[in-house]
Amino acid sequence: MDFKSGKELLELCAREQLPVSAVMKQREITCGSLSGEEIDKKLDTVLSIMREAVHEPLRNPKKSIGGLIGGEARKVADFEKTSRSICGPLVGRAIAYSMAVLEVNSSMGLIVAAPTAGSSGVLPGVLLALQEERELANEDMFKGLLHASAIGYLLMRNASVSGAEAGCQAEVGAASAMAAGAVVEIMGGTPEMSLQAASLAISNLLGMVCDPIAGLVESPCQSRNSVGAANALICAEMALSGVTHPIPFDEMAEAMYRVGLSLPFELRETAMGGCAGTPTGCALGCKICG
């Protein structure tokens, strides 16, 4: 059982009467060397790493190697608990968790690249906030991780998840699409709805540049992970409510790749443009890098 496009994935789901997560799990079994039980064990390990990464910075904030971030996640988490919070518990928690993972990554902690280190906060931020808010079982999270893997696989195969190749849209955009599709399945949506959500998520972040200050995956990467998390929840909500996106997932992935390749090299992880190219960004880069 294999698929090379979103169209083929949906055809498989329809033929086998299976959700995306089940098709992806069967693909891993038939195309790989692991049994279903071994895959579940790996998913449990992944989930444990993600859970620690979203919570540790809230308990024990640390400054990043470059000193540009550290402690922001706890500020957002604390603010979410107050009456002044705007986003509410689910979105507020997803934002805080996504930011927390970037703090772990930038202080040399253990994270899960999902699909990259620079976008590693989006998927755990969304899934774990949803799990806690809706009191979902770990098995629901396994389905979400498998679903996200299917979307990530397609984007890696047919487009890109590299900021150096196609800008931040390819990293955070991909992570947001993965998370959006996963949420739709977890909340009972159809495979068609999940790919609608993924397509919407990509389109909303189309053209996002990769411009890390001082070349470090710290700022603006951390805040962009929070944007990716919020975007994923928005797109999942839209898809589950019946809102559709006119561009199919496969075409949206191709468009993202073309847009990424057309970005000037200064805006593809070189730290020469965008935020990194501002006077303050350049000054910070010189200070950090000596």
Side-chain angles (χ1 to χ4, degrees), residues 66 68 211-217 219 270-271 275-276 281-282 284-286 288-289:
L68 294 174
D211 51 350
I213 296 170
L216 301 171
V217 185
S219 179
T270 59
C275 292
C282 290
L284 287 168
C286 291
I288 292 168
C289 299

Side-chain angles (χ1 to χ4, degrees), residues 78-108:
D78 289 345
F79 185 75
E80 181 269 315
K81 297 180 178 69
T82 71
S83 60
R84 296 172 59 214
S85 175
I86 299 169
C87 293
L90 176 56
V91 177
R93 193 175 299 184
I95 291 170
Y97 285 177
S98 67
M99 295 173 71
V101 177
L102 262 287
E103 293 183 25
V104 174
N105 178 62
S106 62
S107 59
M108 299 302 290

Side-chain angles (χ1 to χ4, degrees), residues 248-263:
F249 172 81
D250 292 326
E251 292 182 29
M252 201 66 251
E254 181 184 0
M256 180 187 74
Y257 190 45
R258 289 201 313 269
V259 168
L261 295 181
S262 70
L263 292 172

Side-chain angles (χ1 to χ4, degrees), residues 10 30 35 56 85 103-104 109 111 114 153 159 168 182 193 237 247 262 264 266 268:
L10 291 179
T30 56
S35 66
E56 176 57 23
S85 175
E103 293 183 25
V104 174
I111 55 97
Y153 157 69
C168 194
M193 285 179 175
E237 181 88 346
I247 311 300
S262 70
E266 292 91 346
R268 286 186 279 168

